[in-house]
Amino acid sequence: MCALLLARAGWSVAVIEKASFPRRKVCGEFISASALSLIAQARAADAVLARAGPEIREVGFYAGNRIVTAPLPAYAGVMQYGRALGREHLDAALLDEATRAGAAVWQPWAVESTGCDGDMLVCRARNADTGERVELNAAFVIRAHGSVDTGRLRVPGVITGKRASDLLAFKTHFTGGALPPAQMPLLAFPGGYSGFVHTDGGRVSVSCCIRRDALAAVRRAAPGTSAGEAVWNRVLETCRGAREALRSAVQEEAWLAAGPLRPGMRAAPSDGTLAVGNAMGEAEPSVAEGITIGIQSASLLSGHLLRANRSQTAAGRAAIACDYDAAYRRHFSQRIRWSRVVGRLTMNAHAAGVAAAVMTHVPRLLTLGAAWSGKKGVAAA
Ligand SMILES: Cc1cc2nc3c(=O)[nH]c(=O)nc-3n(C[C@H](O)[C@H](O)[C@H](O)COP(=O)(O)OP(=O)(O)OC[C@H]3O[C@@H](n4cnc5c(N)ncnc54)[C@H](O)[C@@H]3O)c2cc1C
């Protein structure tokens, strides 16, 4: 998104991406209306909307035997409701648009380190296929490398050691089943949560997160099954809504796994680079807002850069980083904190049961929870 916005404004941009596209990714695939509106403003919506699943107008919360649903708040922007699209399509579509806007794409190249060279920044990258190495100099370097699997690049907040509370994530697609097309439920199960949504090609995206300690227990109880299958069996055993929505559905591919994740705010980079998306702050997947925060933070940062001079001294860059950091925290820290509350509540079987019981009587709370997580959020440009 940064590459697209900056290239459209006439900046000279290089995107360095270590994976070859299209590639699958562990993600629920829901893109909220505020992110779709920013994509539309960047004149990149056609490719995204052409394939995306139906409009999502209803949220759900499934816990134990309870199934609660409520309307999703409409967003007051170009797009009113979010839709889902596989990351193999979304990421490739945005990269294509950035290329058309003039960005040079280095792919599959992995950034191994960044540093300063006088007033310029330097990015050292290696071709993932041939091992060839290159150094690129730039006035600005934007980290958009996510939070897991960054290769040899040392990143702020890199996960070391193991914690019982680390999250491991799994994802697959189903076809068929009885999930209402406009509904996106969050499902609670002991030690984890899952999300369902209709996505492109008539598929239902199913993703799950589970604490490391809960995963170990689930796997001990189901020897001989893969981690993804063991987690999925746990979801089906403990959650009526999951059984009813996908009882007759067909699983389309093997479970894809990722992690460990430690959602939360990250320290801003201290080496003169700037960061967006999960590299800057990671929402709990429970609220399905990570793509949106990625796109909004990219839009926010691009706005700061476009108001500044393209050629910067180290001091000028530091001033931009300081302003952006403050704006980022204003826009996103509360949403990221709220996502953590939702995640913890959902993973605790007792708390999830109480919440579902209360929401059965006051479904508006579910609508409010979705609004707080950002489903009605401000456009950040
Ligand atoms: C189970 C699960 C379900 C989720 N569901 C949703 C959802 O429904 N909706 C939603 O909005 N969010 C969801 N999220 C969150 C969302 O997936 C992330 O927040 C989002 O992908 C973050 O985007 P990003 O661009 O910061 O990082 P990423 O999407 O991780 O992208 C980082 C990119 O950088 C590349 N890269 C990494 N290191 C290097 C390097 N050294 N050199 C070059 N390239 C590199 C990677 O190959 C990758 O393509 C979910 C997450 C999980 C785990």
Side-chain angles (χ1 to χ4, degrees):
M1 192 68 178
C2 278
L4 171 59
L5 294 171
L6 296 175
R8 282 230 199 285
W11 284 39
S12 165
V13 177
V15 180
I16 310 177
E17 167 56 62
K18 76 179 169 61
S20 295
F21 283 6
R23 56 92 175 87
R24 291 171 63 209
K25 190 165 180 63
V26 177
C27 178
E29 307 180 353
F30 176 74
I31 315 163
S32 64
S34 54
L36 286 177
S37 296
L38 287 175
I39 292 172
Q41 279 165 26
R43 305 195 305 279
D46 288 353
V48 172
L49 297 179
R51 278 181 183 263
E55 285 188 344
I56 300 303
R57 289 166 174 259
E58 195 176 66
V59 266
F61 187 63
Y62 301 174
N65 280 327
R66 291 190 191 270
I67 295 177
V68 191
T69 60
L72 194 60
Y75 176 68
V78 187
M79 312 289 299
Q80 279 193 297
Y81 293 99
R83 294 167 67 176
L85 179 64
R87 296 292 298 268
E88 60 274 36
H89 303 308
L90 173 66
D91 297 27
L94 288 178
L95 189 58
D96 280 353
E97 288 296 336
T99 311
R100 266 196 287 278
V105 178
W106 295 71
Q107 189 179 28
W109 286 76
V111 176
E112 294 190 330
S113 66
T114 55
C116 282
D117 184 5
D119 274 339
M120 294 295 270
L121 291 169
V122 54
C123 224
R124 296 177 198 89
R126 181 170 180 273
N127 186 296
D129 291 338
T130 63
E132 188 189 343
R133 286 195 151 81
V134 72
E135 275 193 12
L136 301 180
N137 291 300
F140 296 99
V141 171
I142 300 171
R143 293 169 172 266
H145 46 59
S147 62
V148 290
D149 193 20
T150 54
R152 294 188 188 177
L153 183 64
R154 293 170 68 90
V155 298
V158 68
I159 292 184
T160 51
K162 291 183 177 179
R163 290 187 197 157
S165 59
D166 288 343
L167 294 179
L168 286 307
F170 301 90
K171 127 78 168 279
T172 189
H173 290 103
F174 284 80
T175 48
L179 179 70
Q183 192 190 111
M184 179 168 68
L186 171 65
L187 298 87
F189 65 92
Y193 50 80
S194 178
F196 299 173
V197 68
H198 280 271
T199 184
D200 56 89
R203 304 180 297 170
V204 176
S205 157
V206 172
S207 52
C208 308
C209 282
I210 184 167
R211 285 173 53 107
R212 190 189 287 281
D213 51 359
L215 177 63
V218 160
R219 296 209 72 183
R220 271 196 304 277
T225 39
S226 73
E229 284 166 29
V231 172
W232 182 234
N233 289 337
R234 186 83 174 124
V235 177
L236 292 175
E237 274 162 23
T238 54
C239 185
R240 175 168 72 95
R243 293 192 295 276
E244 290 189 0
L246 292 182
R247 181 185 290 135
S248 56
V250 176
Q251 187 172 343
E252 290 294 306
E253 74 246 333
W255 289 94
L256 194 64
L261 315 177
R262 281 188 199 156
M265 296 291 289
R266 314 260 177 256
S270 54
D271 61 352
T273 61
L274 298 152
V276 293
N278 278 9
M280 189 73 176
E282 183 166 1
E284 278 258 353
S286 55
V287 296
E289 281 290 309
I291 298 173
T292 296
I293 292 178
I295 284 174
Q296 289 178 334
S297 58
S299 180
L300 181 71
L301 175 57
S302 302
H304 279 255
L305 292 176
L306 292 173
R307 285 191 290 276
N309 192 332
R310 277 184 222 187
S311 51
Q312 284 293 335
T313 59
R317 256 197 322 264
I320 294 170
C322 185
D323 285 352
Y324 166 65
D325 188 53
Y328 180 94
R329 279 162 210 283
R330 251 193 334 271
H331 279 283
F332 303 114
S333 59
Q334 209 171 331
R335 275 163 70 187
I336 290 177
R337 271 200 297 275
W338 172 242
S339 74
R340 304 217 61 201
V341 171
V342 174
R344 281 182 202 159
L345 182 145
T346 312
M347 286 187 282
N348 179 311
H350 178 68
V354 171
V358 174
M359 282 189 261
T360 304
H361 298 289
V362 196
R364 210 175 99 75
L365 289 175
L366 193 49
T367 305
L368 273 178
W372 288 338
S373 72
K375 297 283 177 296
K376 219 169 90 178
V378 287

